[in-house]
Amino acid sequence: MSRILLKALLGFLMRVLFRPRVEGVQNIPESGAVILAGNHLTFIDSLFLSLVVDRPVYFIGKDEYVTGRGVKGRLMAWFFTTSGMIPVDRDGANGGVAALMTGKRVLEEGKVFGIYPEGTRSPDGRLYRGRTGVARLALMTGAPVVPCATIGTDRVQPGGAGMPRITQVTVRFGEPLDFSRYEGMDRDRYVLRAVTDEVMSHVMRLSGQEYVDVYATKAKAA
């Protein structure tokens, strides 16, 4: 089954079951490289983003999603890769670099790349400090950043597990952010932090979440 057919079928089910409200999707450029930077509440955020955006959206995902065995493993691998997930070993010593270079390649091909700057799902529904990978990608490629927010996915699938609940989801997109003024400064940590914080500020306004200036991974560990 092609990606187009899968999107059509899932899109139909999504509209019937979850009645998604989409705001600002016209802010996504119709062509060329673009970074979608959003909040991350649960596992299905990527699915909703992919289904409401006309252009194909590519995400980084754990390679374990496509390495399962048996019928279930093959079905999962087919579903995730058809949905736009690019498997990367993010747990290895060079996982962060591999993810960054994969995103760079996608953008250099003029595609849409989705990223969650928090780096992991929020442990409590609040918005956590962004990691600077989104800034590095924007400065290395010159791609605009469209901030976005999924609202209500934590109610659809609390904790990212179990059967989905039927409730309305909202997906919001902000205006593109241009960081060309920082061209050539993708290794300046102060610039990277400033760009990342600006992106997260827009995500916060779109999502309405409380912001916590701590990395989500540290919050989970605590």
Side-chain angles (χ1 to χ4, degrees):
M1 185 186 298
S2 71
R3 178 171 183 164
I4 294 175
L5 183 55
L6 175 65
K7 183 172 180 176
L9 291 174
L10 289 179
F12 173 76
L13 290 174
M14 181 186 74
R15 286 190 294 273
V16 171
L17 296 176
F18 302 108
R19 310 179 312 280
R21 181 167 54 201
V22 184
E23 303 172 7
V25 71
Q26 70 277 4
N27 289 321
I28 301 175
E30 295 181 359
S31 62
V34 61
I35 301 169
L36 297 183
N39 62 333
H40 200 13
L41 293 173
T42 188
F43 176 77
I44 59 175
D45 294 332
S46 300
L47 179 59
F48 276 93
L49 281 177
S50 293
L51 292 174
V52 303
V53 176
D54 288 338
R55 297 177 61 186
V57 182
Y58 297 88
F59 297 90
I60 295 296
K62 294 181 180 180
D63 60 352
E64 64 189 56
Y65 293 150
V66 299
T67 56
R69 297 181 178 180
V71 175
K72 181 180 178 181
R74 288 195 295 272
L75 284 174
M76 287 183 63
W78 166 80
F79 176 81
F80 285 117
T81 54
T82 304
S83 298
M85 192 199 86
I86 303 173
V88 172
D89 180 8
R90 298 187 301 176
D91 296 326
N94 298 314
V97 175
L100 189 69
M101 292 300 102
T102 300
K104 181 174 180 287
R105 174 176 57 80
V106 170
L107 293 168
E108 288 177 341
E109 293 173 354
K111 299 176 180 177
V112 181
F113 183 69
I115 187 172
Y116 301 113
E118 291 169 278
T120 186
R121 294 189 292 271
S122 171
D124 55 16
R126 295 185 293 177
L127 185 69
Y128 283 81
R129 193 180 201 214
R131 297 188 176 275
T132 58
V134 62
R136 289 199 65 187
L137 284 174
L139 301 190
M140 285 191 299
T141 65
V145 179
V146 174
C148 59
T150 51
I151 303 166
T153 51
D154 52 338
R155 296 192 301 271
V156 172
Q157 198 175 31
M163 290 296 293
R165 299 176 181 176
I166 307 304
T167 185
Q168 188 173 49
V169 170
T170 298
V171 185
R172 291 179 180 147
F173 299 93
E175 295 184 1
L177 305 176
D178 177 15
F179 295 108
S180 58
R181 61 190 182 278
Y182 297 122
E183 183 179 359
M185 303 177 71
D186 59 278
R187 294 189 179 276
D188 186 314
R189 63 190 182 96
Y190 296 105
V191 170
L192 294 176
R193 173 47 53 194
V195 169
T196 303
D197 287 347
E198 183 175 341
V199 171
M200 297 308 290
S201 176
H202 283 268
V203 174
M204 179 184 68
R205 286 197 288 270
L206 291 167
S207 69
Q209 292 169 279
E210 177 186 349
Y211 179 75
V212 184
D213 196 23
V214 174
Y215 291 122
T217 48
K218 289 186 177 181
K220 288 182 176 181

